[in-house]
Amino acid sequence: MPPSPRLPRPLIYTLPFFLAGLAWGPELAALEVNLWPAALSAAGVLLIAAILKRGIGLIPLGLFFSLLGAAASISAFTPPADPGHVLKRTDEPLVFGGVIVESPLKSLDRTRLIIAVDEALDRDGRPEPASGRVLVTFPTGPSNLNAGDRVRFPAVLHPIAPPGNPGAFDYRRHQAGQGAWVQTFLKDRRLLMPVQGPAAAGSPLFLLSRLRARASDFLDGTMGQPALGLMKALLLGMQDEVEPGVSDAFRRLGLSHLLAISGLNLGLVALLAYWLFRRLLLVRSSLALRLDVHRLASLLALGVVILYTGLAGPSPSVHRAALMVGVYILAALIQRRHDPLTALAASAWIILIRQPGAVFLASFQLSFAAAAALIIFVPRLPGSPYRDQPDQEENPLRRWFVLWNLTVPPLVALLATAPIAAWHFNRLPLLGLPANMIFTPIISLVVTPAGLAALGLASFWPGAAAAVLALTERLWWLILPALEGAAAWPGLDPLAPRPGPLFFVAFYVVMAAVLLRPWTKAAVAAGLAAGCYGLTLLAGLSAGVGRPEFKVTILDVGQGAAIHLRFPDGTRMMLDGGGFPGSDFDPGERIIAPFLLSLGVTRLNILALSHPQADHAGGLPFLAREFHPDELWTNGAETGAAAYRELLTLAAGRSMKQPSLVELHRSREFGPARVQVLAPPPDYLSHDRGRKSGGRSNDDSLVLKVTMGSKAFLFPGDLEAEGEADLLRRAGDNPRADVLVAPHHGSAGSMSSAFLEKVRPGHVVFSVGRRNRFGLPSRQAELRARRIGARIYRTDLEGAVTFSTDGESLEVETHLNRE
């Protein structure tokens, strides 16, 4: 279809429409609509118009590409209906066979890879056809597995679950966009058994994977951590092997982009390859006279770029960079004027046609936003050394070319990516500009070229390559202390609430207004955008004005507990913070903080801990550091899990008020809501059981009751039978509540019939993890709750459960299977 004269750069102008259609795909997929017939009909109409030489305007063409994007996205995010798909073979033990389609991603404690399954063995060992991709995770250790290898593995597959909480990262959508709907965890890496087959030796994927593995092994043998992980990220795209502390320092300083292979890396590879091939071709003058040396060297350099792209892995930043460099080289080969924005759009089209789900990846959004901003804004800035100047004029800033390049382009890129980073990571790195000015030139122009040269030498002169890497490692010893020292300054990357769609529109309109001309039109556009955003803020504030309301959300934190309470006077409390014993996963940072920030909450008033066990205390230290609470409520225990000890240290260092149990037993009012502490008794530590347990017993849990009007909520922590009986003896009828969070996650030894008869809840919430090893909630506890007529909710099945009351009515909402 020939482009309309009014649309000279169709790849650029139609891309936003296609992106918009892709973005709507997951929501439309839930409605089970099929847009392909409409898209094909629209394509037919446009084709007829083109044949009749009728002009096709941007709007009809844009609507078509929006429809096309939505149809492609729906197909990508609709669960497969094929009866042979692995999604139909879940929850049954089978042996599966298939091919590893991506190089394994290793972290310090686990390895992940994706296997394209093509067979499932029945109980007699007979293979049956199967299809689909499986995300496989297993403990990290020595392994020779690479992309292209054929393997078999025994497993019980499980569907990848949707996010259980508002604001949470949608891992199911992330993996579905890459074709994986199911996952499994293997306890031993040896359960992945290599199988010889036609997909193994000889395929390009296999050969590239082997080459990447050899390069990785060479780095392993010549360098140590933390330089090893950094060089693997810079040269091979293996970001998972960067030490967590180092990765965190890069993130805090806004330098995470340096750990992704970028256009600069690929550009350096292309330049080095072009220079080398050109020198070799010019060695013989007769050859140089017969051939176009420039074109042949460019073509050979393009082959090297393609090879290195396969080596560097499948990330969008690598593909975008490779496509940009490739388009530039091809434009030089055919002697066409290079249009960088069209090249960027072309690379986006290629990635999105191949993988529509890439539109939701942070790496795709950040890399393309930064590149687009540099291409659009930097050459148009007043005084830019890249700005076309009349022959008689001289740009006075050209003498400051290096300084200009170290300040202005990084600032533009940081501005362009700030809202996207806030959306995905809820952080704003305040030292991003000076950090990029200092560290980006050193790492990109010294460390990375040295590493690339070492990889090039490794195959035929390993001694020289090892020497270069040894010098590079020593350079890292000089860089990292300065980088980590700067990252240790407090307050460098404050938490940022997740921005809404209108904020994105207003931000980029204002950014364009500030950086582009004509100023009059730009100022009007900026004013309109700012005014619209201000009106939305006022609307949101006015929506919150009305009848006082108490709202409580029991979050899905796996096998643990975390409860957010918002009182009518605006006070916010976090009761417990989840946690996973023996794991470095921080639910405060990864689960609770995204939930709070999705509500626009950046400060908590009170942290409360029912008892100092890891599954309740794990996420509270992070919240104490980042959400600046004024008070910490505990049961007064002196010892407990490591997270509890860290929490007490933070509370003391930040002068948080820590009311005693005597103080806590005096009821507190927050507007029309009242909070009472019912247990443990103020003197429990002086009793034999308290002294022996040190306050760590489940039956010593801090029990809270919140009352507003005629409605009451009871939060009993991990009380078991003895603690429930003690509570009933001392509190009488006080435990009566409409909503009960099941004590001890609904274990068989809790929620006795006597306790439930006294509480008489209409709603019972079990805070439990999916397929938890304890088998919670127990059948006995669920049965006892049903016998009294309570409505049951489970965080493993329904996600976060939110109750709202004005003191008279009670509303319930679940994040999954919303009611």
Side-chain angles (χ1 to χ4, degrees), residues 618-684:
L620 293 184
F622 177 86
L623 301 181
R625 286 191 300 270
E626 302 292 344
F627 286 84
H628 314 292
D630 302 309
E631 297 184 42
L632 173 62
W633 295 8
T634 71
N635 66 0
E638 297 178 357
T639 59
Y644 176 64
R645 298 194 297 272
E646 182 184 359
L647 178 64
L648 293 181
T649 301
L650 286 167
R654 294 168 183 259
S655 301
M656 292 167 56
K657 184 181 178 182
Q658 299 183 58
S660 66
L661 278 174
V662 173
E663 294 176 278
L664 289 176
H665 271 270
R666 303 188 189 109
S667 62
R668 293 266 299 268
E669 293 186 354
F670 302 94
R674 183 171 58 132
V675 179
Q676 296 172 279
V677 172
L678 304 184
D683 60 346
Y684 87 99

Side-chain angles (χ1 to χ4, degrees), residues 435-448:
N436 274 278
M437 289 176 61
I438 296 169
F439 294 107
T440 296
I442 299 172
I443 295 173
S444 296
L445 301 179
V446 179
V447 175
T448 301

